[in-house]
Amino acid sequence: MPVAACSPPGADPSEADERAAGTDPTSRRRSAAVRGLGLLVALGVLTAVALVSVWLGTRDIPLTATWSVLWHPDGSEAAVIIHEYRIPRTLLGIVVGAALGLAGALMQGLTRNPLADPGLLGVSLGAASGVVVAIAFFGVATALGYVWFAFLGAALAAAVVYLLGAAGGGMATPERLVLAGSALTAVLFAGNTAVLLLDPRAFDDFRFWNVGSLAGRGYPVLLAVLPFVVLGVVLAALLVRPLNALALGEQVGRALGAHPTRTRVLGAVAVTLLCGAATAAAGPLWFVGLAVPHMARQLVGPDQRWVLPYSLVLAPALLLGADVLGRVLSAPHELQVGIVTAFLGAPVFIALCRRRKLAAL
């Protein structure tokens, strides 16, 4: 990012990156090499988990047969299961997991709150409200139909939170945004509950989406949300250096060329795109966006140049692993991934709350 005209002599945005990574050039190069190698290992783990996700399911298909029809579909029942069900499910898990992990890292970096998750701005409840409206008032009954209502609800919720945070002529600071998001979340939860209690049919349809699942979505849902996730990833990449600069303090960040208000607005847009698309596609999936950024910071420190890529890779590995675990534990039936992530994430959340010093932001 270019240096602002009012920056002091010698100020450079890369100084924030150097502060985050260490000041000694030799140690920085060594640290970057180790982190890069770690990212390659994480990509290898994600690839392995994705292959296991294609292989394992409620229908037992031998590994050799899976590998054969994966590259040479022959029209057999095994090929249909793998190419029409398991591969789309795995790809959706990668996209949704990456979106949630990146959204969580952005939320924690923007709000300076180590316990922030993508639902903090009301995005998750906004998406849920969109689904409630779609079911109760428009009779929508398919996952593809839910996507657009859920994404619209997430976008409207994020816009309302920002307007409330900036109300009264003040700045939309992280504290204001968190308070506005909490207030809107409470209102939306009450409204959703009232509608669902008055409409049993809507409640029956909504509860299957609300549990969070990757099953039964298919390529149409994946292709519907993919452009929003890609745009969110691009915005997140543009925010890496401003986030590092603002981590040194708002005044220092301004001196290094960062624009706090613009960074927060673009960050909120990125979180809305990522979390809104992920929630619309798979339903609410708790703790993925909370836990994974902490894992990333434990591995690479507070430098956002590494936290965001690690979150982008580790989150889908965790989500796909939870999805596979749900298939194995309850075979021949399935345990929805939203339930598994809740069981896995709750101990992590408790451990984070009990720690005296959370991972540095």
Side-chain angles (χ1 to χ4, degrees):
M1 179 176 291
V3 181
C6 60
S7 299
D12 192 315
S14 62
E15 293 178 18
D17 299 333
E18 294 175 1
R19 287 284 297 274
T23 55
D24 179 58
T26 303
S27 65
R28 285 204 306 273
R29 287 194 294 269
R30 186 182 302 115
S31 177
V34 172
R35 290 167 173 174
L37 180 61
L39 188 59
L40 290 177
V41 172
L43 284 169
V45 171
L46 174 59
T47 302
V49 174
L51 291 174
V52 172
S53 176
V54 173
W55 169 35
L56 293 179
T58 55
R59 176 66 181 272
D60 186 19
I61 301 176
L63 178 60
T64 53
T66 300
W67 185 259
S68 176
V69 300
L70 179 63
W71 303 108
H72 305 287
D74 54 10
S76 63
E77 183 181 7
V80 171
I81 291 174
I82 288 173
H83 285 273
E84 295 189 12
Y85 294 97
R86 294 186 184 175
I87 290 179
R89 180 174 184 163
T90 300
L91 293 177
L92 183 64
I94 293 173
V95 171
V96 168
L100 291 175
L102 196 56
L106 282 175
M107 278 297 306
Q108 292 173 14
L110 286 168
T111 63
R112 318 301 305 157
N113 182 354
L115 297 180
D117 74 338
L120 198 62
L121 292 183
V123 176
S124 295
L125 260 295
S129 298
V131 174
V132 170
V133 170
I135 295 172
F137 300 105
F138 294 94
V140 179
T142 64
L144 184 59
Y146 295 158
V147 165
W148 302 109
F149 283 91
F151 189 80
L152 180 60
L156 290 175
V160 170
V161 167
Y162 184 81
L163 291 176
L164 291 175
M171 293 179 58
T173 62
E175 294 80 9
R176 283 172 170 256
L177 292 175
V178 170
L179 289 174
S182 299
L184 183 64
T185 294
V187 172
L188 291 177
F189 180 80
N192 291 347
T193 303
V195 172
L196 294 174
L197 288 177
L198 293 173
D199 190 340
R201 181 194 61 81
F203 175 77
D204 287 339
D205 291 341
F206 176 77
R207 64 193 177 102
F208 290 108
W209 176 86
N210 192 52
V211 74
S213 176
L214 299 175
R217 302 312 197 242
Y219 285 115
V221 172
L222 173 64
L223 295 177
V225 301
L226 186 59
F228 301 106
V229 174
V230 171
L231 183 55
V233 171
V234 172
L235 283 176
L238 297 176
L239 293 173
V240 169
R241 285 197 168 184
L243 286 175
N244 272 345
L246 292 177
L248 304 177
E250 191 162 310
Q251 291 184 347
V252 176
R254 289 180 183 274
L256 293 174
H259 300 270
T261 301
R262 185 172 67 188
T263 300
R264 288 170 188 144
V265 171
L266 291 178
V269 171
V271 169
T272 301
L273 291 170
L274 294 167
C275 183
T279 306
L285 297 172
W286 307 108
F287 296 111
V288 176
L290 170 65
V292 170
H294 282 280
M295 298 177 190
R297 282 192 293 273
Q298 291 287 348
L299 293 172
V300 298
D303 189 350
Q304 297 292 343
R305 292 177 299 174
W306 293 102
V307 171
L308 296 185
Y310 267 76
S311 299
L312 190 72
V313 175
L314 291 176
L318 174 64
L319 185 62
L320 284 180
D323 189 42
V324 171
L325 186 62
R327 299 183 224 172
V328 172
L329 289 178
S330 59
H333 305 290
E334 289 190 12
L335 191 64
Q336 282 80 3
V337 68
I339 298 174
V340 180
T341 56
F343 273 108
L344 294 177
V348 175
F349 183 79
I350 294 171
L352 290 174
C353 291
R354 290 177 59 87
R355 287 181 58 184
R356 292 185 178 182
K357 183 178 180 181
L358 294 170
L361 284 174

